[in-house]
Amino acid sequence: MWSQCVGLFFIGTFLALSKGDSVHTNNWAVIVCSSRYWFNYRHVSNALSIYRSVKRLGIPDSQIILMLADDIACNARNPLPGTIFNSAGERLNVYGDDVEVDYRGYEVTVENVIRVLTGRVPSDTPRSKRLLSDERSNVLVYLTGHGGNGFLKFQDSEEIANVELADAFEQMWQKRRYHEIFFITDTCQAVSMYEKFYSPNILAAASSQVGQDLLVSHNADLEIGVYMIDRFTYYTLRFLERVTPTSQATVAHLFHSYDPSLVMSQPGFRTDLFRRDVGK
């Protein structure tokens, strides 16, 4: 499949292996929902929706690290046990039989995220909980939850700071754990999470500017009683669902696809650390 993905860029293109490309040979994804509690249903849905999309585009579960801080599907308040939906109308269950959660509940900590990224996990950590990337890997890192200026909250008990994340990416670079990183975050004041990055070959997209909180989510469901997905991730998925192995879509097309009047925030993007032209 990957040898056919010539010219594709976004998750299809960023993660595509071009013919004759000896530098980029494999793809990984680290997908993190850092929120607990029923009212944060949308954050779990965000993460599972991205998980579903990257699997559709060809990354196997063996190369995806999925971290969910709460088991919303089995929450006692869920009127439809064993399901998580990302749309009130279509009722697409993103928590199907083929979902493999690698870190769940209280395993989803700042320490474990840093350890996964940097490879500094205990020796008895199973392969399924390891990011076994190398200098030929393109890595998607997606974070969603509650955040503020320079931090993302984990389970209402701790925070990861933007400088910690920046230093973790630098460790990855120094240890040859990636070729390119695509960092996406959907949270309040999300741009602040990539402001401190300084390592090469990182492309970043964020749902909101510093000082901007996400006050209106998408797809409220009256039966379930919560919002089902955040707007930035919803419109990211709308773009992703049109991407195929033969698409000519570029990351510039993705960036231009966000309408602030629909997203209800001003997304931000960072390309200065990235060596390639995002329009090609």
Side-chain angles (χ1 to χ4, degrees), residues 217-270:
S217 298
H218 198 273
N219 265 324
D221 187 280
L222 296 179
E223 179 181 4
I224 295 176
V226 290
Y227 283 106
M228 308 188 76
I229 194 168
D230 280 315
R231 287 179 174 270
F232 179 76
T233 295
Y234 175 81
Y235 287 104
T236 300
L237 292 171
R238 283 189 60 180
F239 182 91
L240 274 179
E241 291 302 313
R242 298 193 297 269
V243 174
T244 68
T246 58
S247 297
Q248 296 301 310
T250 69
V251 85
H253 291 139
L254 169 70
F255 291 171
H256 290 140
S257 73
Y258 295 110
D259 182 345
S261 68
L262 297 176
V263 179
M264 294 190 177
S265 65
Q266 184 63 55
F269 314 105
R270 186 168 179 190

